[in-house]
């Protein structure tokens, strides 16, 4: 089954404590991205990756890091989380060929206190 | 700047009562317009891609249409299981990497 898997699904942490949200896809997609979803603001892109070792900033990259060492994995790193990073996070992957369909993970609800 | 506006924010329908959701967009050259469905606590699920004005796509009770400035998602004779948030997104010719999303329309279909 084609899927994007995020972990954890729920996370409560304290300000300043480094955390990583993992994302893995099994469709051999080149393109992967991270979004955050906030009420009234919709989905906003944080970072994206066109392929292994190729990453770039989206619209709201401040306070986040990513890496793409393997094609299937695209972890999101918050080195010093702050309360304004409390949000619902989604990882997505997409083929760079003719099929435009983006597959999303189930989401990670992060609360920073 | 590319922008997507969806209306209404929320819509309540009776089962069988057809209606339409609107997605207005401004983009520097449209590569594609996408519709997604999102259920509470889940990730968006792909529905349709539209590429050019006049194009239409259908799936069960849903039909998406596209003009040069907006897209409509028509829901014919909805059922309670159609209740969800419907998201519209655009991709510009200048950027494969980016989908710009609207804030969605929350649809509730009552039996």
């Amino acid at each position: 089954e084609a899927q994007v898997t995020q972990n954890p699904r729920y996370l409560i942490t304290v300000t300043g404590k480094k955390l990583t949200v993992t994302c893995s896809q099994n469709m051999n997609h080149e393109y992967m991205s991270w979004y955050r979803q906030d009420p009234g603001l919709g989905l906003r892109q944080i970072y994206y990756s066109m392929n292994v070792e190729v990453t770039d900033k989206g619209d709201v990259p401040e306070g986040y890091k990513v890496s793409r060492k393997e094609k299937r994995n695209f972890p999101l790193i918050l080195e010093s989380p702050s309360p304004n990073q409390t949000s619902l996070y989604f990882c997505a992957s997409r083929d760079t060929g003719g099929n435009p369909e983006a597959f999303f993970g189930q989401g990670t609800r992060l609360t920073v206190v | 700047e590319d922008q997507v506006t969806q209306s209404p924010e929320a819509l309540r329908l009776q089962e069988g009562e057809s209606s339409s959701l609107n997605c207005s967009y401004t983009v520097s050259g449209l590569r594609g317009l996408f519709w997604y469905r999102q259920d509470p606590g889940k990730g968006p699920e792909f529905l349709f891609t539209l590429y050019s004005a006049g194009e239409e796509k259908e799936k069960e009770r849903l039909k998406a249409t596209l003009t040069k400035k907006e897209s409509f998602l028509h829901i014919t004779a909805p059922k309670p299981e159609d209740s969800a948030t419907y998201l519209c997104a655009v991709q510009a010719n200048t950027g494969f990497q980016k989908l710009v999303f609207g804030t969605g329309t929350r649809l509730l279909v009552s039996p």
Side-chain angles (χ1 to χ4, degrees):
Chain A
E1 180 190 352
Q3 61 183 9
V4 177
T5 304
Q6 292 178 230
N7 280 296
R9 291 290 313 278
Y10 303 92
L11 180 59
I12 300 175
T13 190
V14 295
T15 299
K17 185 176 181 182
K18 181 179 179 179
L19 66 91
T20 299
V21 183
T22 64
C23 174
S24 180
Q25 51 98 0
N26 64 359
M27 295 162 281
N28 202 37
H29 286 163
E30 293 87 2
Y31 177 82
M32 297 184 73
S33 61
W34 276 101
Y35 293 86
R36 61 177 288 173
Q37 188 173 36
D38 302 289
L41 295 177
L43 282 156
R44 294 178 293 166
Q45 190 180 58
I46 303 171
Y47 267 94
Y48 66 93
S49 170
M50 295 293 287
N51 215 322
V52 176
E53 302 292 358
V54 180
T55 63
D56 209 344
K57 297 177 181 178
D59 292 323
V60 288
E62 294 77 21
Y64 304 95
K65 285 178 60 177
V66 293
S67 69
R68 188 92 182 272
K69 300 190 187 309
E70 305 166 281
K71 198 172 187 179
R72 64 183 291 123
N73 295 323
F74 190 45
L76 180 69
I77 304 156
L78 285 72
E79 297 222 326
S80 183
S82 62
N84 65 11
Q85 293 178 296
T86 293
S87 187
L88 181 57
Y89 292 86
F90 289 101
C91 178
S93 76
R94 191 159 91 230
D95 184 20
T96 53
N99 185 356
E101 178 180 351
F103 292 81
F104 283 80
Q106 291 286 69
T108 296
R109 185 166 292 282
L110 172 65
T111 302
V112 183
V113 298
Chain B
E1 183 181 338
D2 302 333
Q3 197 167 354
V4 176
T5 303
Q6 292 187 246
S7 62
E9 285 188 19
L11 180 62
R12 188 164 192 155
L13 299 174
Q14 290 294 120
E15 185 171 2
E17 180 187 1
S18 301
S19 188
S20 297
L21 313 183
N22 178 263
C23 170
S24 298
Y25 65 92
T26 54
V27 65
S28 52
L30 182 69
R31 184 185 182 106
L33 184 140
F34 303 81
W35 283 99
Y36 285 86
R37 168 188 172 132
Q38 187 176 21
D39 294 299
K42 294 191 175 182
E45 179 184 339
F46 173 80
L47 292 173
F48 304 109
T49 308
L50 301 167
Y51 294 103
S52 58
E55 189 174 358
E56 299 181 351
K57 294 264 179 83
E58 285 189 68
K59 181 179 180 179
E60 296 180 355
R61 296 176 292 282
L62 300 177
K63 179 180 177 180
T65 62
L66 181 64
T67 72
K68 288 187 177 180
K69 292 183 178 181
E70 56 192 350
S71 176
F72 292 93
L73 185 65
H74 306 279
I75 304 176
T76 302
K79 298 181 177 182
E81 53 261 42
D82 294 321
S83 297
T85 295
Y86 291 86
L87 301 172
C88 174
V90 296
Q91 185 182 30
N93 278 328
T94 52
F96 172 90
Q97 65 275 15
K98 190 173 171 180
L99 289 177
V100 177
F101 281 86
T103 52
T105 294
R106 291 191 316 276
L107 174 65
L108 178 62
V109 181
S110 303

